[in-house]
Amino acid sequence: MQKILAANWKMHKTLPETVDYFSRFEKYHAKTLTLLFFLPVIHLPTAKSLTSCPLGVQNIHHEDEGAFTGETSLKMVKEYCSWVLVGHSDRRTYAKETDMEVNKKIKLAKRYSKNIMLCIGETTLEKKMGQTQQALKQRLLTALDTVYDLMNIAITYEPYWAISNGNPEHKPATPEDVEQVHQWIRMILAERYSQETADNCPILYGGSVRKENAALFLKQANINGLLVGNASLNPDEFKDILKSLKEH
Ligand code: PGA
């Protein structure tokens, strides 16, 4: 399956910075991997005019419209993105987003035939208490409740304790540990759907990915891509990651 390298800018960059960033990726054409950018919603129209890379929205509301002040619906941005990110730990932490809401967002995005990147991960406390598998299984199965196929769905494993959010204790997971977790996620997907469906579902890793470790993750059989936050913000740094994956 084609590997995926996804950037997640989170709440970063002004409009001029966005224009500058994509001017440096102008001539980039993916050869063996899908290069994709999850951008702040306001930059999607500009970015669409500057790059041929697929774009994604970092969040959507689970309704098409209504009295939801400050929210953005997929109906409003559907022309500008082919991907939707759901369940990122930032949203689970700061916006108190629940698995039930994540489930509604997945169903909405499926209705719009978008590609969906579903993030799941265990918290620092869950890891300490040895509850990684239990937490991941519960998040995964609730998010996928009454989702009858995995068409256009990618799963991203992002342990909370590995995400570089300024906390100096946050460190990347090891490629070997991630591989084991991904094998386990695939097994849960095979039980819920079928082995073939599970084998065809991309499972990505995110959490402190850098140019030094990116290729090591992608060498593992069950790591089908990477979701990169901090190291995707600087175009040169992100290009270094691409180069380390022999894509330039
Ligand atoms: P990071 O973020 O690469 O800065 O750790 C990843 C993410 O939160 O998507």
Side-chain angles (χ1 to χ4, degrees), residues 36-41 43-48 53-60 72-85 109 112-116:
L36 119 93
F37 294 88
F38 288 103
L39 302 182
V41 68
H43 298 325
L44 285 170
T46 306
K48 190 160 171 66
C53 290
L55 300 177
V57 62
Q58 294 175 7
N59 178 45
I60 48 159
T72 306
S73 73
L74 187 51
K75 190 178 174 186
M76 295 168 185
V77 294
K78 64 179 190 308
E79 287 85 4
Y80 304 107
C81 62
S82 51
W83 281 80
V84 177
L85 189 65
Y112 280 87
S113 304
K114 296 295 180 189
N115 298 299
I116 297 156

Side-chain angles (χ1 to χ4, degrees), residues 8 10 88-90 158 162-165 206-210 227-231:
N8 176 15
K10 307 191 182 185
H88 192 279
S89 61
D90 288 346
E158 287 210 316
I163 294 175
S164 61
N165 60 0
S208 301
V209 172
R210 305 276 177 270
L227 179 58
V228 186
N230 240 302

Side-chain angles (χ1 to χ4, degrees), residues 120 136-144 155 185 188-189:
I120 52 165
L136 291 178
K137 185 172 182 179
Q138 193 247 319
R139 265 165 216 146
L140 189 63
L141 294 184
T142 312
L144 294 175
I155 312 288
I185 291 173
I188 300 296
L189 294 176

Side-chain angles (χ1 to χ4, degrees), residues 161-177:
W161 47 267
I163 294 175
S164 61
N165 60 0
N167 183 334
E169 285 182 12
H170 283 206
K171 299 266 157 45
T174 67
E176 295 73 23
D177 286 351

